[in-house]
Amino acid sequence: MEINELLIWARGPAFHWALAIFVFGMLLRLFEILSLGRKPDLSAARDSGVSGGLRTLFTRSLPRPAIFSREPLRILNGYIMHIGLFVVIFLYRPHIELFGGAWSGLPTGVVDAITAVTILSMFVALLMRFYSPVLRHISTSGDYLAWLITLLPLLTGYLAYNHLLLEYTQMLTYHILSVELLLVLAPFTKLTHLFSFVLSRWYQGYLAGRRGVES
Amino acid sequence: MSKPSVEKGIQFIKAQIDAPVASFFSSCVHCGLCAEACLFYTETEDPKYTPINKVEPMRRIWEQEYTVLGKLKSALGLSKPIDEATFKEWETLVYDGCTLCGRCSVACPLGNDISGMIRKSREGFAAAGYAPPDLIGATQRAMEIGSPMGVKLPAVKAQIRHLEEDTGLKVTIDQQGAEYMVLLSSMEIMNFPEYLEAIARIMRQAGKTWTIASTAFEATNSGIQIGVSDLAKVIVSRIVDAAESLGVKTVISPECGHAYTAVRWEGPNLIGRPYKFEVKHILEILDEFTKAGLIKTEGMEEARLTYHDPCQIARKGGIVEQPRRLLNKVASNFVEMRDAGAMNWCCSGGGGVSANERAEGLKLKAFKRKKTQLDELQVDTLVTACANCRLTLEEGLEENGMDIPVVGLTEMVADHLVEEERGS
Amino acid sequence: MSKDLKSMEQEHANRNSKTFAEHLEQNGISRRGFLKFCSSMTAALALPAGSADVMAKALAAARRPTVIWLSFQECTGCTESITRSYSPTIENLIFDFISLDYHHTLQVAAGQQAEEAKEHAMKESYGKYLLIVDGSIPTKDGGIYSTIAGRTNLDLLEEAAAGAAAVVAVGTCAAYGGLPMAKPDPTGAVPVSALVKDKPIMNIPGCPPIGLVMTGAIAHFLTFGRLPDMDELGRPKAFYGDSIHDRCYRRTFYDQGLFAKAFDDEGARKGWCLYELGCKGPTTHNACATLKWNDGVSFPIESGHPCLGCSEPNFWDAGSFYEALSVPQGRTGETILKAGAIGVGVGAAAAALNRSNKSAAVEGRETITVEDLKRES
């Protein structure tokens, strides 16, 4: 297939299939989770579970000093990676267009630099997974797959923008296809955490809130 | 009645998996930060003690039973099965290598309640016949005798007699309509009789009526520790029945961590209905009494001392400020441990670990964490509010040649009560 | 008529016997003007310094080759572009140093006379002439959808290509199929390269291509006797090596993240990047941003309109000209709704399964007694 045809396919039918699988898969996962239900807690609440749940949604994004002091690099790297991904996905104008274009972005050059840092953080994360005994012990093939499908869009985007390795149209096409791969696989890997974190933090925060416990 | 089996274990874990558990497994990104929160990992540096690894059997069951993808994987023969070997391998991680301290649950960036899942996992391990023999023994004693340490009512009565003779204080048993019903832990009855005296003096000064139930003086709940809800329910029902038939307003949970969790939070869910009385921890009561001016203290401990937050009381119970307010009333040289409060480190003996002879070596290794915390502070006295913590700390300190007395906070407060005889 | 033909042949012979230098002289073009032409050509072709002299020498000595221009399914835009835009600059002279023996729009002769002229030229210069094609070739139903003098384009191309030294596909239709090939492609249109397999082919895509690009590529052929270096799409790299985006004077706004969001907004007035208005510059390779159009006056982006990507294959089927490259084509909302509906359906089924699976586990549980905790003892 000639590259322009592939690009049209990637921007058209392939995107729609990938998006459909993403939406379908995430909904399926959501139903799978919620269907297991939760018994009402009959103990007398000391405080509000709802406000605890809402609070925990945010507080778990903050570093906890007792843990941070033990693994500062891993936690910092996690921030860099997540903030980097957020910036790259949501603050780059051409990507914003994809979401309807309703907000303003950062200068493209800045996004480019952040992409480079984010890619770097991905490799730092990989090295940690290789060399930390804990991470090696608990890592599964799914972790490496999730890593790869997250890296590919970043890498191809960076290479395309900077005209490296392949001609721009080709790299752009592979970039779009790699995003589609990510969409297709996300619901079936640990990347489900991009929505399920709301549920897990909520449940934990709700429990902690009822008990009047910090969370 | 049927024999324990793998199938039964799987079924029990299946029954425990709910939406929160499913969301936790869906969210886990294997970041490994829970290991950094766990004293079994930090002190052994053995990655198998990573908290999320301890619930791997439960994760497999969740994936295979409750996800389409997992069923697909099973059909293709790609899933790791759960068998005898799995239960055998994980038994020591789930029981010996976890005190249910809940530190991992607070550390997880995704909000995963890992210690809650370990608690749930124990239901399956117990049903499969993979609970530690010592915990089975303790549970059997709790069921048959009424107390995991085999303490019977006559022993309690003997203590009460001693107390009444020594101090002239009055302790009633089964007093109908008393405001408070006081629970004790076997360890307090056996090892720390000071507690009962402290309660009696405090109640006298506060002018409150209180009683001990002859059918439910024991606060501890082995069913919770071993992870058998059916038995935990029987044990907690004794307390509920006694409290409701005596018509007390409030049940006071003693200085015992898991007892508080059992009776305060798990109890109503075990019996399937809310209580007709309140449950409070003794520290909450003391705080209320001092705030209301019902009890007054005098004099200050001058020794340099620190407070060890029992996990179930602080991190999982929400009682963090009360002990500090109390300590500041009776101690002039109170210093905080590093990570004090909600992130305090476990004593290393909670969650049934101290009752599990087999885990002794591991427990002492894990105690190094507390030793490090204490070494930094160089205190003269260690105060806590859990008899199990107290015993574990005493053993650990002795093992490490550290001469630091461990004191219960309730006793310390009682020691400083302004003695003014109320008419008797 | 035979007299006409004879005099034409005579004239043809005369013209072809003259060198380009002689021809220039005869037409009153100074040597200085010629050299200027050569240096601008070599610059456009990105040839090394000193090539202007080589080109001047080669062109001066060149015999004007026969060129046959066949127009198929096209709009004549390519011809418009090559003839009208530069007049009367020296680029027009390119037609004076080739012998354009057949071009049914430009030639004076018409009808049978024109066809005879072509046949004659093809016979005379068999194996040496340059064949230029604009327009795609319909292949469906035996190619009946476009015929000249009763013969199908398919037939004409086959015949003309047989004796050509090389074929130049001018315009996107000849190069890649172009608009006639757009969905639903009723005529089964194909580009020249789909039919001619045994001759060197050069594509000069664009809708239309820039006049200077056409003349430059031909000058290269005349200077070096071969087609210039080409990319994998058969385009001379000298003109199609860079993307519009990379050479665009508005690129700096892209890098700063400054975009026009409507044709009449502040950004548009300030000349910001047109990416969000659908500019296909990033994926389009052409010389518009450097050579520009109308004698270097402007090019679409400079005039405030996004690049359509007209020199790229399939640009006609690549979705809206006015949607950003990063925006997928088609109704995204509809896809989400459909997938959502299926997800809810399958999810509900999976949920029902989970619920019955769980309640079986919960209800099937036997109450545990202490005795049940002990394994084989």
Side-chain angles (χ1 to χ4, degrees):
Chain A
M1 198 191 283
E2 195 268 315
I3 196 70
N4 284 280
E5 275 176 81
L6 192 61
L7 177 61
I8 291 168
W9 183 73
R11 289 179 68 216
F15 175 81
H16 287 271
W17 275 109
L19 181 69
I21 292 169
F22 179 79
V23 171
F24 165 81
M26 285 300 190
L27 275 168
L28 175 63
R29 298 307 299 268
L30 185 67
F31 273 87
E32 282 175 354
I33 293 170
L34 296 179
S35 62
L36 293 169
R38 179 175 54 145
K39 277 193 188 164
D41 192 339
L42 301 169
S43 65
R46 179 181 282 144
D47 213 330
S48 160
V50 172
S51 63
L54 294 176
R55 192 171 53 239
T56 302
L57 278 184
F58 297 98
T59 54
R60 291 287 166 121
S61 295
L62 305 172
R64 207 167 268 280
I67 306 298
F68 184 81
S69 59
R70 290 190 57 87
E71 277 294 332
L73 183 62
R74 200 191 301 166
I75 293 173
L76 271 180
N77 194 59
Y79 276 107
I80 293 171
M81 191 185 81
H82 281 90
I83 294 170
L85 282 167
F86 179 85
V87 168
V88 169
I89 296 170
F90 295 109
L91 295 180
Y92 175 49
R93 275 308 311 185
H95 293 166
I96 297 170
E97 277 302 287
L98 181 64
F99 301 106
W103 58 93
S104 51
L106 287 177
T108 311
V110 173
V111 176
D112 182 52
I114 290 173
T115 309
V117 172
T118 311
I119 291 171
L120 207 67
S121 77
M122 292 284 297
F123 280 96
V124 170
L126 186 68
L127 287 179
M128 283 176 173
R129 216 167 258 296
F130 279 146
Y131 291 109
S132 149
V134 166
L135 289 174
R136 216 172 34 223
H137 191 81
I138 60 174
S139 293
T140 63
S141 53
D143 291 318
Y144 294 103
L145 176 68
W147 179 86
L148 185 69
I149 60 176
T150 309
L151 177 76
L152 286 178
L154 279 169
L155 195 63
T156 50
Y158 183 80
L159 293 175
Y161 175 74
N162 290 291
H163 294 45
L164 297 168
L165 223 59
L166 288 178
E167 189 276 316
Y168 178 82
T169 308
Q170 284 181 334
M171 200 53 100
L172 174 72
T173 307
Y174 298 142
H175 174 62
I176 294 171
L177 290 173
S178 72
V179 172
E180 284 157 6
L181 183 70
L182 177 70
L183 286 175
V184 167
L185 294 179
F188 309 107
T189 62
K190 66 175 179 179
L191 299 177
T192 40
H193 81 273
L194 74 94
F195 88 87
S196 69
F197 87 93
V198 175
L199 295 174
S200 50
R201 286 182 179 181
W202 164 263
Y203 286 132
Q204 165 80 342
Y206 186 87
L207 184 84
R210 292 187 89 263
R211 292 186 177 197
V213 169
E214 188 182 313
S215 179
Chain B
M1 288 226 288
S2 66
K3 282 186 183 150
S5 65
V6 168
E7 293 69 35
K8 220 169 144 186
I10 292 174
Q11 189 192 19
F12 271 64
I13 292 178
K14 263 178 77 174
Q16 285 292 323
I17 294 172
D18 55 7
V21 170
S23 78
F24 300 152
F25 285 130
S26 300
S27 287
C28 180
V29 294
H30 293 163
C31 72
L33 287 177
C34 48
E36 306 303 325
C38 177
L39 77 175
F40 288 98
Y41 168 71
T42 61
E43 304 316 299
T44 63
E45 295 197 333
D46 186 336
K48 73 180 180 187
Y49 291 116
T50 303
I52 197 69
N53 181 54
K54 296 173 194 168
V55 290
E56 172 63 14
M58 184 180 234
R59 192 201 64 80
R60 283 188 209 159
I61 292 168
W62 161 73
E63 187 183 70
Q64 291 165 20
E65 298 289 341
Y66 294 129
T67 71
V68 172
L69 191 68
K71 287 192 186 120
L72 205 67
K73 274 164 86 178
S74 295
L76 296 170
L78 297 170
S79 305
K80 279 187 196 161
I82 301 285
D83 50 24
E84 297 280 351
T86 317
F87 279 107
K88 198 169 159 48
E89 187 182 344
W90 261 271
E91 179 192 342
T92 50
L93 298 181
V94 165
Y95 286 105
D96 305 21
C98 176
T99 59
L100 301 178
C101 82
R103 219 167 173 270
C104 50
S105 299
V106 181
C108 177
L110 278 312
N112 293 352
D113 183 9
I114 306 169
S115 85
M117 293 197 284
I118 295 174
R119 160 74 185 83
K120 284 169 179 274
S121 291
R122 286 187 181 183
E123 297 274 343
F125 278 77
Y130 285 91
D134 292 341
L135 289 189
I136 295 178
T139 309
Q140 187 158 17
R141 284 189 294 279
M143 294 301 292
E144 290 162 6
I145 304 172
S147 153
M149 294 174 88
V151 177
K152 295 180 182 171
L153 185 63
V156 181
K157 283 185 165 160
Q159 269 227 14
I160 292 173
R161 209 166 41 245
H162 281 150
L163 171 66
E164 288 179 338
E165 281 167 10
D166 292 353
T167 64
L169 291 159
K170 263 268 170 271
V171 180
T172 64
I173 288 185
D174 293 335
Q175 184 193 334
Q176 196 71 29
E179 191 170 346
Y180 295 97
M181 179 173 121
V182 167
L183 302 175
L184 303 165
S185 68
S186 343
M187 234 174 258
E188 281 158 337
I189 301 163
M190 303 291 283
N191 303 317
F192 308 117
E194 310 88 282
Y195 177 75
L196 189 59
E197 186 189 328
I199 289 282
R201 293 176 56 201
I202 289 162
M203 287 297 182
R204 185 179 61 182
Q205 189 171 106
K208 299 287 185 185
T209 54
W210 65 288
T211 192
I212 289 174
S214 61
T215 51
F217 55 85
E218 175 62 63
T220 63
N221 192 325
S222 300
I224 295 284
Q225 292 187 324
I226 199 169
V228 180
S229 289
D230 291 333
L231 301 180
K233 177 183 172 180
V234 173
I235 296 169
V236 84
S237 294
R238 295 172 184 160
I239 297 171
V240 177
D241 292 347
E244 292 182 353
S245 73
L246 290 173
V248 299
K249 283 206 192 91
T250 304
V251 168
I252 300 179
S253 183
E255 289 199 347
C256 173
H258 91 269
Y260 182 63
T261 293
V263 70
R264 173 71 175 88
W265 307 114
E266 291 212 28
N269 296 310
L270 288 169
I271 64 167
R273 64 167 175 85
Y275 296 151
K276 294 171 185 155
F277 53 89
E278 273 191 293
V279 176
K280 283 185 178 156
H281 189 260
I282 181 64
L283 294 186
E284 291 179 281
I285 297 286
L286 293 178
D287 188 49
E288 279 176 26
F289 284 2
T290 51
K291 269 186 180 164
L294 292 174
I295 55 173
K296 291 196 174 60
T297 59
E298 63 185 1
M300 285 284 196
E301 296 284 334
E302 274 158 26
R304 184 176 164 85
L305 53 80
T306 189
Y307 177 70
H308 163 80
D309 282 287
C311 308
Q312 305 294 328
I313 309 285
R315 181 163 39 249
K316 288 178 140 184
I319 301 168
V320 176
E321 293 309 314
Q322 294 91 330
R324 287 165 175 79
R325 279 198 289 268
L326 292 167
L327 268 169
N328 283 324
K329 278 195 167 14
V330 297
S332 56
N333 200 2
F334 165 49
V335 288
E336 289 283 16
M337 254 184 267
R338 187 203 288 260
D339 299 333
M343 283 307 275
N344 194 27
W345 292 90
C346 178
C347 64
S348 73
V353 170
S354 67
N356 182 359
E357 201 68 42
R358 183 178 77 184
E360 181 76 12
L362 183 59
K363 182 186 80 176
L364 285 170
K365 252 189 210 156
F367 180 78
K368 298 276 185 212
R369 175 50 50 183
K370 192 51 65 183
K371 178 182 176 335
T372 309
Q373 279 185 301
L374 291 171
D375 285 346
E376 286 174 355
L377 284 180
Q378 295 296 326
V379 289
D380 307 318
T381 305
L382 179 55
V383 184
T384 189
C386 166
N388 186 60
C389 291
R390 194 167 163 184
L391 205 65
T392 304
L393 293 167
E394 281 177 353
E395 281 172 15
L397 291 168
E398 191 183 323
E399 187 75 20
N400 288 282
M402 294 161 79
D403 187 22
I404 305 175
V406 187
V407 182
L409 180 52
T410 307
E411 292 158 50
M412 184 172 273
V413 172
D415 282 350
H416 288 274
L417 285 180
V418 177
E419 287 299 339
E420 45 176 274
E421 289 303 310
R422 282 169 186 264
S424 58
Chain C
M1 192 180 102
S2 66
K3 192 182 163 220
D4 284 347
L5 196 60
K6 218 172 209 143
S7 62
M8 257 173 63
E9 278 171 16
Q10 187 56 47
E11 214 241 332
H12 186 246
N14 285 345
R15 275 204 335 209
N16 286 3
S17 65
K18 277 186 213 152
T19 66
F20 183 53
E22 290 162 352
H23 188 83
L24 283 173
E25 214 168 291
Q26 197 177 3
N27 283 281
I29 304 297
S30 72
R31 168 133 189 100
R32 197 162 144 246
F34 172 59
L35 284 175
K36 202 175 151 200
F37 167 79
C38 290
S39 44
S40 70
M41 265 310 156
T42 49
L45 282 162
L47 295 171
S51 301
D53 289 343
V54 177
M55 180 177 272
K57 273 190 195 126
L59 287 183
R63 305 269 162 197
R64 299 165 68 238
T66 294
V67 172
I68 291 170
W69 183 307
L70 297 179
S71 297
F72 297 141
Q73 286 196 128
E74 47 85 42
C75 66
T76 317
C78 298
T79 301
E80 294 277 351
S81 176
I82 202 169
T83 58
R84 269 185 27 189
S85 56
Y86 286 72
S87 183
T89 63
I90 199 156
E91 279 86 346
N92 273 3
L93 283 177
I94 200 78
F95 290 103
D96 289 319
F97 67 85
I98 59 171
S99 171
L100 186 59
D101 291 322
Y102 180 82
H103 185 305
H104 66 201
T105 310
L106 298 178
Q107 71 194 143
V108 179
Q112 202 181 349
Q113 202 181 37
E115 296 309 306
E116 277 172 6
K118 185 184 78 177
E119 274 165 37
H120 179 79
M122 276 167 45
K123 215 160 102 191
E124 194 86 337
S125 308
Y126 193 83
K128 288 181 284 186
Y129 61 83
L130 192 63
L131 176 64
I132 300 180
V133 178
D134 69 335
S136 61
I137 303 95
T139 57
K140 211 167 161 188
D141 302 324
I144 58 162
Y145 296 106
S146 177
T147 61
I148 296 163
R151 295 175 64 192
T152 64
N153 293 170
L154 209 54
D155 187 20
L156 293 168
L157 178 63
E158 192 185 342
E159 179 196 48
V167 185
V168 179
V170 155
T172 303
C173 297
Y176 307 128
L179 300 189
M181 200 184 188
K183 280 173 191 156
D185 185 14
T187 68
V190 296
V192 172
S193 57
L195 299 169
V196 178
K197 299 290 183 193
D198 54 353
K199 302 283 174 182
I201 300 176
M202 172 165 62
N203 291 328
I204 312 282
C207 192
I210 302 169
L212 189 63
V213 172
M214 292 189 257
T215 53
I218 293 165
H220 187 286
F221 179 71
L222 294 175
T223 306
F224 300 105
R226 58 174 175 80
L227 296 174
D229 283 349
M230 296 185 289
D231 66 11
E232 68 277 9
L233 290 171
R235 303 177 292 202
K237 283 181 180 166
F239 299 109
Y240 295 90
D242 292 325
S243 73
I244 301 291
H245 184 64
D246 288 342
R247 306 304 296 265
C248 181
Y249 77 105
R250 296 195 188 203
R251 173 62 182 265
T252 169
F253 296 115
Y254 175 87
D255 291 337
Q256 290 170 50
L258 299 173
F259 298 92
K261 305 194 190 297
F263 284 102
D264 56 354
D265 73 354
E266 187 66 18
R269 275 190 287 279
K270 285 184 174 161
W272 289 353
C273 178
L274 301 169
Y275 184 94
E276 293 181 16
L277 290 171
C279 184
K280 305 298 183 291
T283 53
T284 305
H285 297 79
N286 208 337
C288 304
T290 44
L291 296 184
K292 301 194 183 175
W293 289 75
N294 300 320
D295 202 10
V297 170
S298 180
F299 73 111
I301 292 170
E302 196 170 352
S303 306
H305 194 280
C307 168
L308 305 181
C310 75
S311 57
E312 295 296 324
N314 294 300
F315 86 93
W316 51 88
D317 278 338
S320 168
F321 290 151
Y322 301 103
E323 271 179 8
L325 200 54
S326 59
V327 175
Q329 297 304 298
R331 295 162 193 267
T332 303
E334 211 167 84
T335 300
I336 291 174
L337 283 179
K338 276 185 195 157
I342 298 171
V344 167
V346 176
L353 201 66
N354 269 2
R355 270 197 296 272
S356 75
N357 197 1
K358 179 166 175 186
S359 59
V362 172
E363 280 149 29
R365 265 182 47 200
E366 300 167 49
T367 304
I368 294 222
T369 68
V370 173
E371 286 312 306
D372 299 331
L373 299 177
K374 294 172 189 160
R375 245 177 318 149
E376 301 301 295
S377 46

